[in-house]
Amino acid sequence: MKFPKLYSFSMPWYYMLIFLFLAGEAILFLILGENIYVSMHDNLDLHVADYHILSYTGTFFSHNVELPLLNGISRDYFASEFSLYSWLYILLPTSAAYVTGYLLKTIIAIVSSVLLAKDILGQNYGQYEPIVVLCGFAYGVLPLYPTFSFPFVSLPFVILLLRRIYRKPCFITYLLLFLYPLLSYFTFFGFFILAYLVLAIVILWIKDKKLSYSLIGGLAVLTAGFVLWEYRLFSIMLFDSTLTIRETMVQGSMSSREILAAIAETFVIGVFHAESIHTWFVLPICVIYFIRLNYRYMTKNNYKGMRTDIFNWIIVFLFFNCVIYGLYYQEQFRNFIEILLPPLKGFQFSRTVFFNPFLWYLALFIILKRLYENHRQKIAHIIVLVSIAFILLTGSKYNDLYNTAFNYAYRIIKQQPSNSLTYKEFYSEDLFRSIMSDIGYSGEKSVAYGMHPAVLEYNGIFTLDGCLSYYPQEYKEQFRTIIAPALDRVESFRIYYDDWGARAYLFAGVDENVYDPVRNLEISDTNLYIDADAFRRMGGTYIFSRLKITNADELKLNLRNTYTDSSSPYTIYLYEASPPEIT
């Protein structure tokens, strides 16, 4: 006897593949909790700690308050409370917020890619759905800058909104465009989206022989959205006369040969914060197809087809972004832009290259779509699946899944942990909780040595040091008086601090990285090269050090105690500076 089915459910194989991947990734991260291996650079050592500070101080929505790093700095220098990414940290514990954002990045990429494809392909969307979804998935699993991953992966969505405004504007679309900056970030993408929108308006004006007032309205609405939702950033940029380190940063100037090399490297490899993992697979496919496509156009004397082919324009756009990136390091060109637009002084307009990850996988989609049209679906599927495999199996800094799997495999094979640190080990909350309890910590100003100041900041310790790409120049100069002895000894550190200065850290007296986040930290010279009197004058009390300071007596630093904890790889030598002498 056959029983009737109460319900029927079937999921296409490509959605099932993605579901199983995301479910497995989520379960793995849930089981491991804070014992996952998370990228440190510009992540745990910076943004994650910043969000945690905003969370435990309850200052997400506050005004006229200072946060306890860099000797007290205005809350306005930090992320907008309106950002959807910020809301993860408002609603969830910090580590859970980070993992949630990491998972949501992939989902946003897929959804925004599908919505854009449906708008472009219309009724034909169904026949291309597998490659649309898988290309969106590939884009979503790229190891992009975690804190700003939402702006990256939501690019298809803003393109969709602008397309609809151009073709058939309506109130809802304008409203969504006004809200879009909640997903984005002005200095990484907003400025460039607006600039490219202006360019598109001009091009369409020439093409259509009439001005698109709907897009001009979109430009106004999107600009208003960025200004409103990121009002803290704009208030500093436009109305605060405080000189910041951005205005004194020295970008240097490359030779013509170096600029050409930078352009080529960016096209072939990409840049650190926007890795597209295209070098070994997607790039060769795109290059081969580009040559083949245009050879066919030329042999048929079809130069109009060559000029209008969307694939060629994507490659031109990719190359243009790389050229802008290279020209940014040409001093005369950079100065011209800063004279033309004074607010851009210190602004990294080389970030046009941040659009390239999306463009590489859009180019790949065009190739796959044309394979589909030639009834080569299996080849298209193999290509996109191999491209995904390349992404997932590349050990990039921001590929937390790969790095977690790799380090646990290392632990199993070697029967010992690697030299990398987990999220929990990096911040070592149990250790610092015991230290603070032992000394009765009550907000004394401190610095870190042998680790990132973010470790102290995350644990509620007020720091004189810190990492921030935008803070007053005056404080940079004040902090320099503390670290001047180290800078005088090591020229590379002097250039690093004086010409950039986003990391106001204690440096070693030898050319070695003393804050490298590793399990076993070794340095050849364990003297501390600081002006201890300047440290005292700035109100400094404690130095939390991973190294035993051999010249502590000379600096009049008292070793309060040595601390360890079974959950932490750190041994912390806590030094207390004697009060400044009264003269």
Side-chain angles (χ1 to χ4, degrees):
M1 180 182 293
K2 292 184 178 180
F3 294 94
K5 292 182 179 179
L6 297 179
Y7 64 89
S8 123
F9 174 77
S10 65
M11 181 184 290
W13 66 269
Y14 41 92
Y15 274 120
M16 179 61 73
L17 184 70
I18 293 169
F19 172 77
L20 291 174
F21 173 83
L22 289 175
E25 186 177 43
I27 291 169
L28 176 66
F29 286 162
L30 181 64
I31 292 172
L32 293 176
E34 294 186 354
N35 293 309
I36 60 174
Y37 287 84
V38 173
S39 54
M40 307 288 176
H41 184 70
D42 287 352
N43 197 31
L44 294 190
D45 64 352
L46 176 57
H47 298 296
V48 173
D50 290 346
Y51 279 115
H52 191 64
I53 293 169
L54 290 168
S55 179
Y56 73 68
T57 58
T59 52
F60 268 106
F61 300 93
S62 300
H63 296 86
N64 302 314
V65 296
E66 292 184 342
L67 301 186
L69 68 156
L70 294 170
N71 203 20
I73 185 167
S74 171
R75 185 263 174 266
D76 290 345
Y77 284 97
F78 297 81
S80 169
E81 63 271 35
F82 293 119
S83 164
L84 291 182
Y85 193 80
S86 293
W87 273 92
L88 297 178
Y89 292 86
I90 293 171
L91 298 173
L92 299 170
T94 303
S95 59
Y98 178 82
V99 170
T100 302
Y102 190 84
L103 296 171
L104 279 177
K105 173 195 71 167
T106 305
I107 296 172
I108 293 171
I110 295 170
V111 171
S112 58
S113 297
V114 167
L115 290 174
L116 177 60
K118 284 186 174 181
D119 186 66
I120 295 173
L121 299 173
Q123 294 181 347
N124 296 322
Y125 168 79
Q127 69 184 89
Y128 300 110
E129 185 176 72
I131 54 173
V132 169
V133 173
L134 290 172
C135 283
F137 178 59
Y139 184 45
V141 294
L142 286 176
L144 303 167
Y145 201 172
T147 301
F148 304 106
S149 59
F150 287 10
F152 276 98
V153 297
S154 63
L155 281 176
F157 184 61
V158 73
I159 295 171
L160 164 68
L161 296 177
L162 293 172
R163 274 177 52 85
R164 290 192 172 180
I165 285 173
Y166 172 63
R167 291 160 52 228
K168 192 176 180 180
C170 68
F171 173 77
I172 294 297
T173 310
Y174 279 117
L175 177 62
L176 290 173
L177 189 65
F178 179 69
L179 296 174
Y180 173 73
L182 299 177
L183 272 172
S184 192
Y185 183 58
F186 181 77
T187 59
F188 272 41
F189 282 98
F191 172 82
F192 305 103
I193 292 172
L194 294 173
Y196 282 136
L197 179 54
V198 170
L199 181 62
I201 290 171
V202 173
I203 292 172
L204 291 171
W205 186 8
I206 296 170
K207 174 179 173 290
D208 299 340
K209 295 183 174 55
K210 64 177 181 178
L211 191 58
S212 174
Y213 292 103
S214 61
L215 279 182
I216 291 176
L219 177 66
V221 167
L222 188 56
T223 301
F226 276 112
V227 172
L228 177 64
W229 305 125
E230 296 191 49
Y231 71 95
R232 295 181 190 269
L233 172 66
F234 279 90
S235 66
I236 290 175
M237 287 197 309
L238 301 178
F239 306 115
D240 191 337
S241 59
T242 303
L243 183 69
T244 70
I245 64 169
R246 275 286 171 194
E247 297 164 85
T248 60
M249 286 182 177
V250 178
Q251 299 298 340
S253 187
M254 292 182 177
S255 66
S256 298
R257 179 176 294 180
E258 289 171 328
I259 289 172
L260 290 174
I263 292 170
E265 181 180 348
T266 305
F267 187 82
V268 173
I269 299 175
V271 296
F272 168 60
H273 286 129
E275 289 191 87
S276 45
I277 316 297
H278 66 284
T279 307
W280 301 110
F281 189 69
V282 173
L283 175 63
I285 288 175
C286 288
V287 169
I288 292 169
Y289 181 75
F290 178 79
I291 294 171
R292 182 175 180 272
L293 174 70
N294 290 289
Y295 174 77
R296 292 177 64 185
Y297 278 132
M298 287 187 289
T299 55
K300 295 179 181 180
N301 292 320
N302 186 3
Y303 295 103
K304 182 180 178 181
M306 184 186 297
R307 290 196 307 272
T308 58
D309 194 295
I310 184 64
F311 183 84
N312 284 341
W313 279 106
I314 292 171
I315 299 301
V316 168
F317 197 0
L318 278 162
F319 189 70
F320 173 79
N321 289 337
C322 296
V323 169
I324 295 298
Y325 179 84
L327 288 177
Y328 175 75
Y329 295 98
Q330 211 285 328
E331 189 173 6
Q332 287 75 22
F333 178 79
R334 190 171 60 245
N335 291 341
F336 170 75
I337 297 295
E338 291 173 352
I339 291 171
L340 193 65
L341 298 168
L344 293 187
K345 186 173 178 59
F347 184 78
Q348 289 184 297
F349 54 83
S350 59
R351 287 173 178 160
T352 53
V353 77
F354 282 6
F355 288 81
N356 282 13
F358 170 68
L359 293 172
W360 279 118
Y361 289 88
L362 178 59
L364 180 66
F365 171 75
I366 297 297
I367 296 172
L368 300 180
K369 178 177 178 290
R370 291 174 181 179
L371 284 172
Y372 257 51
E373 291 165 354
N374 286 289
H375 309 291
R376 296 179 178 178
Q377 286 88 341
K378 288 185 179 180
I379 295 175
H381 294 162
I382 291 170
I383 290 173
V384 70
L385 290 173
V386 171
S387 70
I388 291 169
F390 265 91
I391 296 168
L392 296 176
L393 297 176
T394 298
S396 303
K397 281 187 180 293
Y398 294 138
N399 191 340
D400 294 343
L401 178 63
Y402 174 91
N403 291 327
T404 296
F406 175 86
N407 281 286
Y408 274 99
Y410 181 98
R411 181 176 299 198
I412 292 169
I413 295 169
K414 298 287 188 179
Q415 293 297 299
Q416 63 179 8
S418 70
N419 210 26
S420 300
L421 303 181
T422 65
Y423 181 107
K424 183 176 182 179
E425 290 172 331
F426 180 77
Y427 289 123
S428 291
E429 289 183 88
D430 292 343
L431 172 61
F432 283 95
R433 193 178 296 115
S434 67
I435 296 174
M436 294 166 72
S437 174
D438 183 60
I439 64 176
Y441 180 78
S442 57
E444 291 85 359
K445 296 176 181 180
S446 308
V447 291
Y449 188 58
M451 57 189 160
H452 289 280
V455 175
L456 303 187
E457 295 156 10
Y458 191 96
N459 284 287
I461 296 169
F462 193 121
T463 63
L464 293 174
D465 47 357
C467 179
L468 201 62
S469 61
Y470 201 72
Y471 67 90
Q473 174 69 18
E474 181 182 9
Y475 185 71
K476 176 185 171 183
E477 294 169 1
Q478 291 175 1
F479 189 79
R480 193 189 193 286
T481 62
I482 295 177
I483 61 175
L487 301 186
D488 291 341
R489 289 177 59 88
V490 184
E491 178 67 5
S492 61
F493 291 160
R494 185 198 66 75
I495 294 172
Y496 181 74
Y497 187 81
D498 289 346
D499 290 0
W500 189 56
R503 293 189 187 275
Y505 283 20
L506 300 191
F507 295 98
V510 290
D511 194 3
E512 299 173 21
N513 186 349
V514 75
Y515 52 85
D516 196 20
V518 293
R519 190 172 306 278
N520 302 304
L521 181 66
E522 296 180 358
I523 188 169
S524 59
D525 185 349
T526 54
N527 282 333
L528 177 61
Y529 295 93
I530 64 168
D531 184 330
D533 291 333
F535 174 67
R536 294 182 181 93
R537 286 194 299 270
M538 289 182 66
T541 300
Y542 293 119
I543 298 176
F544 291 79
S545 176
R546 284 191 69 186
L547 302 167
K548 188 169 185 178
I549 299 171
T550 50
N551 63 336
D553 292 341
E554 179 185 334
L555 297 173
K556 297 180 181 178
L557 301 175
N558 174 43
L559 179 61
R560 280 285 300 263
N561 209 338
T562 303
Y563 297 91
T564 59
D565 187 271
S566 59
S567 64
S568 172
Y570 302 149
T571 295
I572 298 297
Y573 300 90
L574 181 63
Y575 292 91
E576 183 176 6
S578 57
E581 296 181 1
I582 300 176
T583 57

